[in-house]
Amino acid sequence: MDVTKAVIPAAGFGTRFLPVTKAQPKEMMPVLDKPTIQYVVEEAVESGIDDILIITGRGKQAIERHFDKSYELEEELEADGKLDRLDRVQEIADLADIHYVRQKERDGLGDAVLYAQKHVGDEPFALLLGDTIIENGTPCTENLISAAEKHDTSTLSLERVPWEQVPSYGVADTADVDATAESFPVNDFVEKPPQDEAPSNLAITGRYILTSKIFGILEATEPGVGGELQLTDAIQKTRRRAWRRTRRRPLRHREHPELAASEHRNGASP
């Protein structure tokens, strides 16, 4: 399975972070000296992917401007002799071949993924949520690609979250998980279940390797929680196939079957 393209959904309102996201995309919220989405793009690049599609929406123009060249700024930095800062600004524009498409209606993550169909075609692709940073010695996406190639199937990452946070996530049903396994099959998924009905506290963390089959499944999936098209519901329909999951050893974060899963240990989700 040769994964050469990445899709980064970044169209959501970011209501959890209001009022700061009223005028600023949540993906542009700074973590130290870089916006969140730059860490996500860098993870894809470090995983060997330089063809990236970002799904945007209304009010997200700052994302495109961030990854574009800024001739006036570069000229001013050069004139002032601030060459180290000039190098950093130029590196952003040269990170990858980044493309954009706008999600016309915010109808859920599954709907956003459908906008990638023309760009992806029949190829497998990496899906990285644009508002989630996962910190790891080996990039999370690189680990998932390795697991996908090993098992010739889709993969995703999972993380154990506190039980009281389970209703905020899609969670995995995994029977007899080997805590030492690099990856393992997942039986089922449930989108944002009540805590007392959740099969586990293994939450999907926003990193996936998917095949193009997901597009047809999404098109046949009815709206779910919140009246939105849920990616988890489409993934759930593939549970009879063989998904797998990958474990990020140096981390502490979340976990995710035709799929295999992997659990990480460290990470940050702004």
Side-chain angles (χ1 to χ4, degrees), residues 170-246:
V171 298
D173 179 3
T174 58
D176 302 322
V177 172
D178 181 355
T180 65
E182 288 291 336
S183 60
F184 50 81
V186 177
N187 298 329
D188 205 351
F189 293 96
V190 183
E191 179 65 22
K192 299 178 180 178
Q195 182 176 330
D196 59 352
E197 297 178 15
S200 76
N201 65 336
L202 293 176
I204 302 171
T205 58
R207 296 294 187 271
Y208 315 72
I209 303 299
L210 301 170
T211 71
S212 59
K213 294 177 182 178
I214 196 67
F215 298 122
I217 297 170
L218 280 166
E219 289 172 340
T221 300
E222 296 294 323
V225 174
E228 298 180 337
L229 184 57
Q230 301 291 347
L231 178 62
T232 301
D233 292 344
I235 289 174
Q236 185 183 38
K237 290 185 176 183
T238 69
R239 65 186 181 277
R240 293 186 183 89
R241 300 174 188 173
W243 293 66
R244 295 192 181 257
R245 169 216 98 153
T246 322

Side-chain angles (χ1 to χ4, degrees), residues 95-154:
L95 269 174
D97 294 328
I98 302 179
H99 314 266
Y100 303 89
V101 64
R102 177 175 288 194
Q103 184 183 14
K104 295 179 175 62
E105 300 288 342
R106 290 177 169 94
D107 287 334
L109 178 57
D111 180 70
V113 172
L114 278 174
Y115 278 81
Q117 187 168 9
K118 287 185 178 179
H119 186 83
V120 168
D122 295 329
E123 300 178 39
F125 63 100
L127 180 69
L128 303 85
L129 299 195
D131 61 355
T132 302
I133 298 171
I134 296 178
E135 187 180 284
N136 194 37
T138 301
C140 175
T141 298
E142 182 178 335
N143 284 336
L144 290 178
I145 291 173
S146 296
E149 291 173 345
K150 177 180 179 181
H151 300 286
D152 193 27
T153 188
S154 298

Side-chain angles (χ1 to χ4, degrees), residues 249-270:
R249 296 184 185 276
L251 288 186
R252 297 178 191 170
H253 227 36
R254 311 167 202 174
E255 313 185 13
H256 190 330
E258 129 184 285
L259 183 69
S262 156
E263 181 182 2
H264 29 259
R265 304 286 163 159
N266 269 326
S269 182

